[in-house]
Amino acid sequence: MEPITLEINEDNWKMLKDGAVKFEQIDLFSIPVPTITYKKTKELDKKVVNTKVNGVTKKQEELINKYKVHKNINRIIHYGGGGIGIELKRNEDFETIYINKQGVEEFKWSKKLAVMYMDKVIFTAEGYEDIGKQVEIGHTVKAYHGKELITGEIVHIYGIGNEILNINFLYQGKMCQTAIGRRAVVEILN
């Protein structure tokens, strides 16, 4: 069937409206699809991928033991992908050192890295974890929002393991609300 090109003017519009010109629909399966063939160029080696993400390597263990006694240690995280995050407190800021699966320090990040559901906090500074776990709705807390320390009331708790807290706080004279993790809580004021 030959495609029809139709200019829409007043006369053509009347023909369309009256049903003098009919359009046919085409279904998806009527459209020809070009076939592509691939030629195998080389045989790939079959390697077993290590899917064990819970294990810590000996080199990682050595670095964990080294940093556990560091005076500025905040927490140590074992990431789901196998890497380790060493979180150090630097004055009011944080620095995270990422150690890959081979136990090599890969990079430093000038803030906390997020802890996801597949990650595991394997070490925390004394009392750090307990403060956040004690927070309930109605508590007034001091907590980090980015690099800034805020004070506000917890109004809602949600998320996997109730890890997320909604906090109402005053910012530049305006009442604001945001979500923070339990680990951001520094102090419970009431």
Side-chain angles (χ1 to χ4, degrees):
M1 184 171 149
E2 196 73 26
I4 301 172
T5 305
L6 183 65
E7 273 186 40
I8 303 294
N9 58 31
E10 201 170 309
D11 294 330
N12 292 344
W13 180 250
K14 285 180 187 174
M15 287 177 17
L16 285 170
K17 211 167 118 182
D18 297 337
V21 177
K22 302 271 186 199
F23 290 97
E24 290 186 32
Q25 260 188 320
I26 186 168
D27 65 279
L28 185 63
F29 300 103
S30 300
I31 300 169
V33 179
T35 56
I36 300 170
T37 57
Y38 294 96
K39 186 178 178 186
K40 199 174 193 179
T41 55
K42 72 174 189 175
E43 189 69 34
L44 297 175
D45 293 336
K46 292 182 181 179
K47 294 183 179 178
V48 177
V49 178
N50 183 7
T51 57
K52 183 181 177 188
V53 294
N54 294 333
V56 175
T57 65
K58 286 187 180 198
K59 286 187 178 183
Q60 287 175 329
E61 187 69 39
E62 289 171 12
L63 287 167
I64 289 169
N65 290 333
K66 172 187 165 189
Y67 280 104
K68 266 186 184 179
V69 295
H70 196 280
K71 67 178 181 174
N72 294 334
I73 189 71
N74 190 45
R75 62 184 174 172
I76 300 174
I77 304 137
H78 185 227
Y79 296 111
I84 300 288
I86 309 282
E87 200 173 88
L88 302 173
K89 190 164 173 74
R90 304 273 188 220
N91 299 323
E92 293 298 314
D93 297 329
F94 290 93
E95 177 183 68
T96 304
I97 302 166
Y98 181 80
I99 299 162
N100 65 20
K101 290 181 193 179
Q102 289 75 35
V104 177
E105 188 179 299
E106 214 165 276
F107 62 87
K108 289 182 181 180
W109 190 254
S110 62
K111 57 172 116 174
K112 288 182 173 184
L113 291 178
V115 178
M116 307 302 278
Y117 69 93
M118 69 286 248
D119 303 334
K120 184 178 178 185
V121 177
I122 55 177
F123 179 82
T124 58
E126 197 63 41
Y128 174 78
E129 192 78 30
D130 298 333
I131 293 171
K133 286 184 179 180
Q134 296 170 6
V135 175
E136 295 175 4
I137 293 173
H139 278 159
T140 302
V141 300
K142 274 189 182 179
Y144 278 101
H145 181 250
K147 291 183 178 183
E148 198 167 326
L149 196 59
I150 59 173
T151 302
E153 182 183 353
I154 302 301
V155 293
H156 186 63
I157 300 173
Y158 63 98
I160 297 172
N162 285 330
E163 282 292 313
I164 309 298
L165 310 171
N166 272 14
I167 183 171
N168 286 344
F169 62 101
L170 200 59
Y171 181 72
Q172 296 180 348
K174 294 181 183 177
M175 197 57 156
C176 299
Q177 186 178 72
T178 192
I180 59 171
R182 285 186 180 272
R183 293 179 176 97
V185 175
V186 176
E187 184 180 354
I188 299 173
L189 300 174
N190 69 341

